[in-house]
Amino acid sequence: MPETGRLVLAATPLGDVGDASRRLVEALAAADVIAAEDTRRLRSLAAALDVTPAGRVVSFYEDVETSRLPKLLEALRSGETVLLVTDAGMPSVSDPGYRLVAACVEEDLPVTCLPGPSAVTTALALSGLASDRFCFDGFAPRKGGERAKWLSGLATEPRTTVFFESPHRLASTLRDAAGVLGADRRAAVCRELTKTYEEVKRGELGELADWADEGVRGEITVVLAGAPPRSTSVEDLVAEVAERAAAGERLKTVAAEVAEATGVSKKELYDAVLTARRSAK
């Protein structure tokens, strides 16, 4: 029985081909199978790196991920090396790859990674915002209602948040963010990272929304400052919990969320709200 192959996840340049690692070049030349988000972009990258892929190249974009899994898993079981690359950055990070990695983990097939460029950490480093604790939230929701709900969830998020956005929706997303989170919340909009027209626009959400109204092009990564420290006094938080509960949210759920965001005791806050209700009767 042949030795089991392995899946190799490889980060590709965001724009500047000079960011490609030597290990990526070697992997492109040696892999038995290359699963690429866009086979044309892969061949352009290979040409720019002056390397000729030795293995067979198959497309692996979002719409065909599931249907491609059986063949790729079969190749891995038979001892072949499968190299997974996306258009730019790290596979699986808002790009194809997660399903294949999960399937390999399920079957205990070896998976390794060739680290390299990532729009997430590049934007975070350039933003000038706190980077000791951060979260990545993929792409902002497209629809206004879903986006407002998503932004509400970030209202108390203390960590810096990184997310992707389409240039066509950037202005409306920043405008919504200013309305929900406050026009003075700081953020940075990073576009065309590592490319010729790279630009990082830093400022308050209100200012950035005005700037984006003029039109923005390119690949966009947004970095949003975490929520400022909130009051940790149970008494000060009772009114907030009561107001949200009166608007239709479940009291226990609201109390738990506010308690987690502020570090107070969930039971103490919940009991304080009940006491305030009884006193008001």
Side-chain angles (χ1 to χ4, degrees):
M1 184 175 180
E3 183 180 347
T4 301
R6 65 173 181 165
L7 172 64
V8 181
L9 309 176
T12 53
L14 302 176
D16 191 328
V17 72
D19 292 333
S21 69
R22 184 182 68 180
R23 295 179 68 197
L24 172 62
V25 175
E26 294 171 349
L28 289 170
D32 300 297
V33 182
I34 301 176
E37 184 178 9
D38 186 323
T39 57
R40 292 169 298 180
R41 289 201 183 189
L42 167 68
R43 296 193 187 283
S44 294
L45 174 63
L49 295 174
D50 195 25
V51 59
T52 302
R56 59 190 184 278
V57 176
V58 298
S59 60
F60 194 72
Y61 52 95
E62 184 177 5
D63 292 342
V64 300
E65 269 192 274
T66 302
S67 63
R68 291 281 193 272
L69 290 182
K71 287 288 187 181
L72 292 175
L73 291 171
E74 182 181 328
L76 289 165
R77 294 188 204 103
S78 68
E80 293 185 307
T81 295
V82 175
L83 178 68
L84 175 61
V85 295
T86 54
D87 291 347
M90 181 62 68
S92 294
V93 181
S94 283
D95 273 330
Y98 161 74
R99 292 180 180 85
L100 180 55
V101 173
C104 288
V105 171
E106 183 70 22
E107 294 195 27
D108 201 25
L109 295 169
V111 181
T112 190
C113 181
L114 306 185
S118 168
V120 177
T121 50
T122 302
L124 180 67
L126 289 172
S127 69
L129 299 172
S131 57
D132 54 334
R133 297 177 67 232
F134 75 95
C135 57
F136 173 60
D137 226 352
F139 276 90
R142 295 186 179 188
K143 297 181 179 179
E146 294 176 1
R147 187 162 60 233
K149 183 177 180 181
W150 168 69
L151 287 167
S152 294
L154 296 178
T156 58
E157 173 55 69
R159 297 170 296 178
T160 298
T161 300
V162 184
F163 63 91
F164 296 149
E165 184 53 288
S166 158
H168 309 296
R169 293 190 297 272
L170 178 64
S172 58
T173 294
L174 291 175
R175 188 69 61 195
D176 288 351
V180 174
L181 305 175
D184 60 347
R185 178 81 72 93
R186 295 197 63 80
V189 177
C190 307
R191 73 176 196 89
E192 296 293 89
L193 289 171
T194 78
K195 301 177 185 177
T196 303
Y197 297 104
E198 174 181 287
E199 180 180 19
V200 180
K201 190 73 173 178
R202 306 174 183 87
E204 297 180 348
L205 283 173
E207 299 169 342
L208 293 173
D210 291 340
W211 165 76
D213 278 337
E214 299 175 7
V216 180
R217 296 181 179 180
E219 299 286 334
I220 305 292
T221 305
V222 180
V223 186
L224 176 68
R230 301 176 61 194
S231 169
T232 55
S233 165
V234 171
E235 291 74 18
D236 291 341
L237 298 172
V238 167
E240 177 184 346
V241 175
E243 182 179 348
R244 288 177 56 181
E249 295 186 65
R250 188 168 178 264
L251 177 58
K252 283 190 175 181
T253 301
V254 176
E257 291 178 354
V258 174
E260 182 178 2
T262 57
V264 303
S265 164
K266 178 173 67 175
K267 183 180 185 305
E268 186 178 356
L269 179 57
Y270 179 74
D271 289 346
V273 175
L274 294 181
T275 299
R277 281 185 173 182
R278 286 193 292 268
S279 299
K281 292 180 178 179

